[in-house]
Amino acid sequence: MIIWKNTPKNYGLVSIFMHWISALTVFSLFGVGLYMVSLSYYDPLYQTLPFWHKSIGLSLLTLTLARLVWKAFNPAPKPLPTHSKTITMLALFGHYSLYLLMLMTMFSGYLISTADGRPISFFGWFDIPALITGIAKQEDFAGLVHFCLAWTLVILAVSHGLAAIKHHVIDKDQTLKRMLTSKQHK
């Protein structure tokens, strides 16, 4: 039976969907961001890729905020009994670090994009106003912070994925399976 909400033993379909869409989006934005910094002014993608990067980044912000609200009203399953308190605490720290890094990376991206006082177009549908401007070297400083945070986020996300694989392959527990399917697990 498919479950929509989290239970004490399993993640629901909503949590699973938001998790994997977030992961795919983070890695996609990272790859596009690395590619964007190599473009010259005359490259046809010089204007196009930043537009999509910003719009999709704002979509990820919306999804991240929705995930946090969902998490507040729909708690994650209890830790598996095979996990030590140390592993449970490390996992909790890792999860909250991922959320914090996503939010900080998106905020620094906002500061880059609005440094000149222009709003950010959200898919051409409406504009997000520039509320914070006029900071000395705002675009350069926010760009450096954005770059460092994005790398940290991706490294932590890869570590998170490797830990899940370790739980599946070495520990042979349900950690990874709980995030792959919303069907009931033992």
Side-chain angles (χ1 to χ4, degrees):
M1 173 170 105
I2 294 177
I3 53 174
W4 293 94
K5 293 177 68 178
N6 298 343
T7 68
K9 291 186 176 185
N10 301 289
Y11 285 100
L13 192 59
V14 174
S15 294
I16 293 169
F17 178 76
M18 288 193 288
H19 172 271
W20 290 109
I21 292 297
S22 295
L24 178 65
T25 305
V26 163
F27 285 105
S28 298
L29 286 171
F30 181 76
V32 168
L34 284 180
Y35 181 69
M36 281 183 347
V37 297
S38 72
L39 298 175
S40 73
Y41 180 78
Y42 299 103
D43 192 297
L45 295 175
Y46 184 79
Q47 297 296 325
T48 306
L49 283 182
F51 170 82
W52 288 102
H53 186 82
K54 293 172 196 177
S55 293
I56 293 170
L58 288 167
S59 299
L60 179 61
L61 173 61
T62 304
L63 179 61
T64 303
L65 295 173
R67 284 181 75 185
L68 290 170
V69 169
W70 180 256
K71 190 173 187 59
F73 293 101
N74 192 30
K78 293 180 181 178
L80 294 172
T82 56
H83 293 175
S84 68
K85 285 190 178 202
T86 302
I87 293 295
T88 300
M89 291 304 294
L90 284 172
L92 190 62
F93 177 76
H95 288 133
Y96 283 107
S97 296
L98 285 166
Y99 282 115
L100 183 62
L101 282 166
M102 283 191 291
L103 292 170
M104 290 171 50
T105 302
M106 291 178 273
F107 181 68
S108 62
Y110 170 81
L111 291 176
I112 297 166
S113 301
T114 59
D116 61 1
R118 288 185 290 167
I120 302 171
S121 174
F122 183 72
F123 294 111
W125 299 334
F126 58 88
D127 289 339
I128 306 296
L131 300 174
I132 303 170
T133 60
I135 299 169
K137 298 188 178 191
Q138 178 174 326
E139 186 174 5
D140 294 336
F141 181 70
L144 177 61
V145 169
H146 190 70
F147 179 81
C148 293
L149 288 172
W151 270 103
T152 305
L153 173 59
V154 165
I155 289 167
L156 186 57
V158 167
S159 300
H160 174 70
L162 290 173
I165 292 169
K166 177 252 183 205
H167 280 289
H168 185 73
V169 174
I170 296 172
D171 301 340
K172 300 196 185 309
D173 66 27
Q174 299 295 317
T175 301
L176 182 59
K177 286 183 181 178
R178 293 197 309 179
M179 191 47 75
L180 290 174
T181 178
S182 65
K183 293 180 182 176
Q184 295 286 349
H185 296 289
K186 296 177 183 177

